[in-house]
Amino acid sequence: MSNTLKLHPAHTDLEAILVTETAIKRRIKRLGTQIAETYGDEEITVVSIINGAILFTADLLRFIPNPVRLDCIRISSYRNETKSIGKPQLLHSLTLDVTNRHVLLIDDILDTGKTLAMVTKTITKLKPASLKTCVLLDKKGRREVPFDAEFVGFQIPDKFVVGYGLDFAERYRNLPCIGVLKPELQNPPEWA
Ligand code: 5GP
Ligand code: MG
């Protein structure tokens, strides 16, 4: 654990750290190599699902040497606090043309699978040359619809996590590590 992490003001809100800043950095470097090997010299159209995947995408792109085009899409939050309550919807769609392009979809976490199932269905209709998915975290045990990502950073247990792009009520995205929020902080009345 680095000093930066120990000194981070929001760190005391975590009951546990699941993935350290160092582990994230190391894994992202390897993911970049794996992605570069998969695509060879091809250009990649990266589609990042914001806000959650912002930090992961920014760091991962630095380790992908291929020519890259970047687009972002926004999905409506269909969660109430820490639980999924409905269907995800596309709020802000693609601005780049993805037809005949190699699309790499990036998200922060694969949980029930609903978000990525919906987004991949939408992108597939646009007839990309290929479509692969990369997620930093995967909670395999939580799947409600079948979905596997081609590139996965870490498998994690069924815990609600924050940090490194992932939020609780829009807080904690700036934490450099991934952690589990203390239970008593998961429902503060002032955030209701
Ligand atoms: P899915 O559609 O696979 O259930 O969920 C995907 C989205 O739900 C993620 O992109 C993320 O925004 C949110 N999500 C799922 N699990 C967690 C979690 O443990 N923590 C946070 N902060 N968001 C989560
Ligand atoms: Mg998300």
Side-chain angles (χ1 to χ4, degrees):
M1 219 183 299
S2 72
N3 283 335
T4 340
L5 197 58
K6 279 181 197 154
L7 294 173
H8 201 286
H11 184 212
T12 50
D13 289 358
L14 301 180
E15 77 169 10
I17 293 173
L18 282 190
V19 192
T20 64
E21 184 180 1
T22 312
I24 294 173
K25 282 188 175 149
R26 210 177 285 147
R27 186 74 189 105
I28 284 181
K29 206 171 167 182
R30 271 199 236 118
L31 277 176
T33 308
Q34 201 187 334
I35 289 167
E37 280 169 9
T38 304
Y39 286 93
D41 294 331
E42 297 283 355
E43 181 182 81
I44 307 170
T45 299
V46 168
V47 175
S48 175
I49 304 182
I50 57 173
N51 294 333
I54 281 184
L55 277 74
F56 177 41
T57 304
D59 286 343
L60 179 63
L61 286 190
R62 281 171 250 224
F63 291 103
I64 302 178
N66 303 53
V68 163
R69 300 192 310 155
L70 174 64
D71 205 348
C72 294
I73 56 172
R74 190 182 281 275
I75 310 295
S76 65
S77 168
Y78 66 103
R79 300 182 156 259
N80 179 11
E81 307 294 344
T82 61
K83 292 276 178 274
S84 154
I85 49 158
K87 264 183 154 186
Q89 280 172 348
L90 209 57
L91 279 189
H92 188 278
S93 195
L94 290 165
T95 51
L96 292 181
D97 181 16
V98 296
T99 307
N100 293 325
R101 305 285 186 161
H102 293 290
V103 176
L104 178 62
L105 185 59
I106 301 187
D107 203 1
D108 48 4
I109 185 166
L110 181 47
D111 186 29
T112 65
K114 288 184 195 171
T115 301
L116 286 175
M118 184 277 282
V119 175
T120 50
K121 202 173 152 197
T122 306
I123 294 178
T124 302
K125 284 186 193 151
L126 302 170
K127 305 215 179 311
S130 68
L131 175 57
K132 296 192 193 303
T133 309
C134 176
V135 293
L136 178 67
L137 306 171
D138 185 3
K139 288 192 218 168
K140 244 194 159 79
R142 291 253 317 152
R143 226 56 109 246
E144 289 176 26
V145 294
F147 196 95
D148 279 320
E150 280 81 5
F151 307 101
V152 175
F154 302 92
Q155 298 286 349
I156 60 160
D158 179 11
K159 300 257 186 203
F160 185 81
V161 293
V162 295
Y164 197 68
L166 291 127
D167 72 308
F168 174 70
E170 292 305 325
R171 275 79 161 193
Y172 305 107
R173 292 195 197 272
N174 56 328
L175 291 187
C177 62
I178 310 273
V180 182
L181 207 55
K182 285 178 181 165
E184 65 268 29
L185 292 171
Q186 291 197 12
N187 242 332
E190 73 272 19
W191 290 7

